[in-house]
Amino acid sequence: MPRTIAGLLVLAAAPFLLAAVLPPGQAGFWTANILGRAVVFGIIALSLTFLATYGGFVSLAQMTMAGVAGYAVAILVDGAVPRIAGGFSYAAAVPIGLLAATLAGLVVGAIAVRTRDIYLLMITLAVAMGIFRFVETNLAWFNGYEGIRNVVGPTLLGRSFRDPWVFYYVALGVAALLYLGILYLVRSPFGLVLQGIRDNPRRVATLGYSVGLHRIAAFGVAGFVAGCGGVLATIYNIGISPGSIGLGATVNVLIMSVIGGLGHPIGAFLGSLIFTVFDTFAASIYDRERFNTLIGLVFLAIVLVSPDGVIGIAGRLRGVLGLRPRPAGLPRPGGQPQEERS
């Protein structure tokens, strides 16, 4: 916990540090387009990391759940273009969007509850692509491939949500609450049962727990987390379109999670930051048109050096420097516990 608090303080101070060393325009650019975007998509990646680390299953429907929340807000909120339902304030539309994302997570969990490994991966991908195609071709509710624009966000204490500092600190506050909430949840009775199901579902079932209901509930939690990121991403992009939940966006979330490391929730934000930096400066580093090649090479380099991602590299460095080792029993990617099973 002290390390978590220290990390949050560093992130909270980051805009001030950038403003002190960079020109005003560049400081605002880094705050909004690097740090802010990394936090937002880190939240969506956090939902996937939660399922993979503590549930033992990798879902490719997390960007879809984020899109459900984003589209719900865009459809309902007043001022969006085109006006579809309209008339709702952000204070009303955002909770409805989060509820929709949570329900979407529960539905996906119910569909995939009896599958694992590659079968769960393919079922969640099929659900994601089915929803993507439906949204892309529906004009009445989703405005087809053009999507919905002008979702600018609310005004907070007289300041526009478009202000880079306002957006960044709101996103950081939401990310901190979700991150701490996940850490608390996995130590609660529900989280401990979920990890038991990950390791040995039959043994947990013999103790009287419902394996299926716990898995569905985990997808519901992940849907809520992804929905928070989806709402922020929609406001950040000033709208939402089918491309936001397409195959490319879906795979990007998986890449972020794997790069950061599936061994701990913090890996989602580390991976998102690395991905965002390369995405932003791809034109300077290599070639904007070949970004997928660049991030693919980065992905391969990190995974080959450390299958546990950046977290694994950090753990090895701690071992080399003689610092405290990684706690025993911390799950590896794919939900495998570190100690030997009996």
Side-chain angles (χ1 to χ4, degrees):
M1 188 61 70
R3 291 183 180 180
T4 299
I5 295 175
L8 290 174
L9 291 176
V10 170
L11 289 173
F16 296 96
L17 299 176
L18 291 173
V21 300
L22 295 175
Q26 292 186 24
F29 171 83
W30 271 84
T31 299
N33 294 289
I34 304 296
L35 297 179
R37 187 153 65 105
V39 169
V40 168
F41 287 97
I43 292 174
I44 302 174
L46 175 65
S47 69
L48 191 155
T49 302
F50 163 71
L51 288 176
T53 302
Y54 302 105
F57 31 78
V58 178
S59 167
L60 289 181
Q62 299 314 110
M63 199 66 210
T64 300
M65 297 177 198
V68 168
Y71 264 108
V73 171
I75 289 169
L76 295 174
V77 78
D78 196 26
V81 178
R83 179 188 173 95
I84 296 178
F88 286 78
S89 65
Y90 282 94
V94 170
I96 295 175
L98 297 180
L99 176 61
T102 304
L103 292 176
L106 293 173
V107 170
V108 172
I111 294 172
V113 67
R114 295 187 180 277
T115 61
R116 297 201 68 170
D117 303 325
I118 187 64
Y119 303 103
L120 184 141
L121 198 73
M122 296 308 299
I123 284 180
T124 53
L125 178 61
V127 170
M129 292 302 98
I131 294 176
F132 162 68
R133 291 301 180 187
F134 174 75
V135 168
E136 187 180 43
T137 55
N138 187 289
L139 295 175
W141 284 98
F142 306 105
N143 197 34
Y145 67 89
E146 291 187 1
I148 304 173
R149 306 175 301 280
N150 202 43
V151 184
V152 297
T155 299
L156 299 177
L157 302 177
R159 300 191 65 176
S160 171
F161 214 72
R162 306 310 311 163
D163 186 308
W165 284 48
V166 173
F167 181 85
Y168 174 72
Y169 281 110
V170 170
L172 181 61
V174 172
L177 289 175
L178 292 173
Y179 175 75
L180 294 174
I182 291 295
L183 293 183
Y184 172 80
L185 182 64
V186 299
R187 290 170 172 80
S188 68
F190 169 79
L192 295 175
V193 172
L194 184 63
Q195 293 171 72
I197 293 172
R198 173 202 66 201
D199 296 336
N200 195 323
R202 290 186 179 180
R203 183 179 299 175
V204 174
T206 60
L207 294 175
Y209 295 100
S210 174
V211 173
L213 288 179
H214 277 81
R215 285 178 174 172
I216 294 173
F219 269 92
V221 172
F224 175 82
V225 175
C228 292
V231 171
L232 290 170
T234 300
I235 296 174
Y236 174 84
N237 293 318
I238 322 180
I240 187 170
S241 66
S244 302
I245 61 173
L247 180 61
T250 297
V251 173
N252 287 345
V253 172
L254 178 62
I255 291 174
M256 293 175 196
S257 300
V258 175
I259 286 178
L262 294 173
H264 192 277
I266 196 63
F269 296 99
L270 295 175
S272 177
L273 179 60
I274 294 171
F275 184 95
T276 301
V277 169
F278 278 97
D279 183 36
T280 303
F281 298 107
S284 301
I285 298 172
Y286 184 45
D287 183 352
R288 178 69 249 180
E289 299 301 322
R290 298 180 181 274
F291 167 72
N292 289 332
T293 302
L294 178 62
I295 197 64
L297 292 173
V298 174
F299 176 85
L300 288 175
I302 292 178
V303 171
L304 288 174
V305 172
S306 171
D308 295 343
V310 174
I311 289 180
I313 295 175
R316 289 171 177 81
L317 289 176
R318 285 198 299 268
V320 171
L321 297 175
L323 301 177
R324 186 172 61 181
R326 186 182 186 183
L330 190 61
R332 293 181 181 273
Q336 298 298 322
Q338 191 169 357
E339 75 267 9
E340 293 293 333
R341 295 184 185 178
S342 57

